[in-house]
Amino acid sequence: MQDFHKKVAVITGGASGIGRALAEQCVQEGATVVVADIEEAALAETAQALTEQGGTVLPVRTDVSQPAEIERLAQQTLQTFGAVHLLFNNAGVTGFGAGGSVWKSKTADWEWVLGVNLWGVIHSLRTFVPIMLAQESEGYIVNTASMAGLISGEPSASYQVSKHAVVALSENLYHSLARQNAKLKTAVLCPGWVNTRALDSERNRPPALRVERQMRPEQAALLQTLQQRLTHGLPPSQVASKVFAAMRAGQFYILTHPELKELVRQRMEDILLERNPTLLDIL
Ligand SMILES: NC(=O)c1ccc[n+]([C@@H]2O[C@H](COP(=O)([O-])OP(=O)(O)OC[C@H]3O[C@@H](n4cnc5c(N)ncnc54)[C@H](O)[C@@H]3O)[C@@H](O)[C@H]2O)c1
């Protein structure tokens, strides 16, 4: 896909970080933008900023874990702009405050992280893919996974599971679309460290899924190290540029940190050699 001018883009998690940078690049490319996000104040502020940058913008308060809200997002997009050509399934929560290993996370932690990171993408694909296919026009769906979806040894079990699942879901979508020669293409974005509010995602946990816990000292230290990685990570605008370059090139896997590919190779080799997982320090 080469030309994004006058295309309609839907971006979930568009009010912060990578999603907001994608929205800004959409505006620069002349696309119309629907920003969907759970955080109302950030959503309103983002919509205003994008409008000031010359964009045509529709903010829609959306919790992606709720299928009815995704359905409403699609209806509002179609009623307002008549079509959708670009879909960025980007909303995500890290859940690093959510217990870490599988048995330390509560059921509510799992429900929240999988509800947003995995079910959010499933609901969105089930709603938007039929609409986009029926248009029979060029289109692109980019799902934001993570390097955590390609490697093993991620500190948060729920996050790792959700992101591996998004990679698998995206690959499955790629095969389905390719088999029917669709004009609609797809890609999976697997960023490494990016300077966003990702580690502050507890701000968006719904009250019904909140968990009271004291953070253990080793968890607090881990979080601090992760925060340093993010603070010194890529600016989100560079990630957005890579995504647009990949869409122009028809590229499926979008990786932002070449130096982290070694971790992917290690995991793949472990599997192919039927060797136990290599214990690597991913930090
Ligand atoms: N920052 C990184 O280093 C990094 C690395 C790999 C992957 N990612 C992924 O990138 C994506 C974007 O995250 P980010 O780093 O920009 O973080 P961010 O916290 O800055 O942005 C995430 C956005 O998602 C929104 N959101 C959260 N729950 C939602 C819900 N239920 N419904 C709708 N919106 C919701 C938030 O309000 C926020 O605007 C996520 O999927 C994240 O897992 C980030």
Side-chain angles (χ1 to χ4, degrees):
M1 194 168 177
Q2 299 301 321
D3 186 13
F4 303 98
H5 193 68
K6 297 257 191 261
K7 297 289 190 288
V8 179
V10 174
I11 304 159
T12 71
S16 175
I18 296 171
R20 181 164 169 155
L22 287 167
E24 283 171 356
Q25 177 128 9
C26 281
V27 168
Q28 287 158 25
E29 301 273 351
T32 296
V33 183
V34 181
V35 184
D37 204 287
I38 197 170
E39 208 176 332
E40 277 196 279
L43 183 60
E45 192 273 313
T46 302
Q48 191 183 336
L50 292 170
T51 307
E52 284 165 6
Q53 289 163 32
T56 304
V57 186
L58 173 70
V60 183
R61 200 268 178 195
T62 312
D63 179 349
V64 296
S65 68
Q66 303 302 315
E69 296 198 21
I70 294 277
E71 187 59 42
R72 194 171 48 87
L73 171 66
Q75 291 316 321
Q76 285 197 31
T77 302
L78 293 181
Q79 278 159 17
T80 313
F81 299 122
V84 47
H85 308 101
L86 302 171
L87 172 64
F88 299 96
N89 289 313
N90 166 81
V93 292
T94 50
F96 283 111
S101 46
V102 53
W103 69 93
K104 287 178 185 153
S105 299
K106 307 276 188 220
T107 306
D109 295 321
W110 281 94
E111 284 178 356
W112 175 49
V113 175
L114 293 188
V116 179
N117 293 5
L118 176 56
W119 278 104
V121 183
I122 295 172
H123 298 319
S124 178
L125 294 177
R126 296 191 67 248
T127 300
F128 280 100
V129 171
I131 295 168
M132 295 173 86
L133 282 176
Q135 291 172 173
E136 292 190 5
S137 55
E138 265 196 325
Y140 232 109
I141 297 175
V142 180
N143 298 324
T144 305
S146 168
M147 281 306 281
L150 298 174
I151 63 174
S152 60
E154 172 68 30
S156 165
S158 54
Y159 189 73
Q160 172 158 357
V161 168
S162 71
K163 293 303 185 180
H164 272 255
V166 170
V167 171
L169 189 58
S170 307
E171 288 172 339
N172 189 275
L173 177 65
Y174 179 89
H175 282 276
S176 300
L177 295 176
R179 260 187 236 116
Q180 65 181 75
N181 256 325
K183 289 184 184 163
L184 180 60
K185 307 292 177 209
T186 192
V188 65
L189 170 62
C190 297
W193 317 110
V194 186
N195 189 4
T196 71
R197 295 187 66 196
L199 290 174
D200 183 23
S201 55
E202 285 286 323
R203 72 191 190 277
N204 290 312
R205 195 196 278 240
L209 296 178
R210 286 215 176 112
V211 171
E212 286 301 320
R213 60 160 58 85
Q214 288 288 348
M215 198 174 283
R216 296 184 305 278
E218 68 273 18
Q219 264 185 310
L222 173 64
L223 208 55
Q224 206 179 1
T225 308
L226 286 168
Q227 186 56 62
Q228 278 169 7
R229 290 281 178 275
L230 258 62
T231 304
H232 296 105
L234 278 186
S237 58
Q238 282 188 26
V239 178
S241 297
K242 276 182 187 285
V243 171
F244 274 78
M247 288 194 290
R248 287 195 157 94
Q251 181 186 334
F252 175 75
Y253 295 105
I254 311 172
L255 276 62
T256 60
H257 287 64
E259 68 277 18
L260 296 177
K261 287 184 185 177
E262 175 58 22
L263 300 173
V264 184
R265 193 184 59 75
Q266 193 71 247
R267 172 169 179 264
M268 294 300 169
E269 278 185 14
D270 289 344
I271 294 170
L272 293 173
L273 296 172
E274 299 180 54
R275 184 169 73 189
N276 291 355
T278 303
L279 298 177
L280 294 168
D281 180 7
I282 70 153
L283 301 177

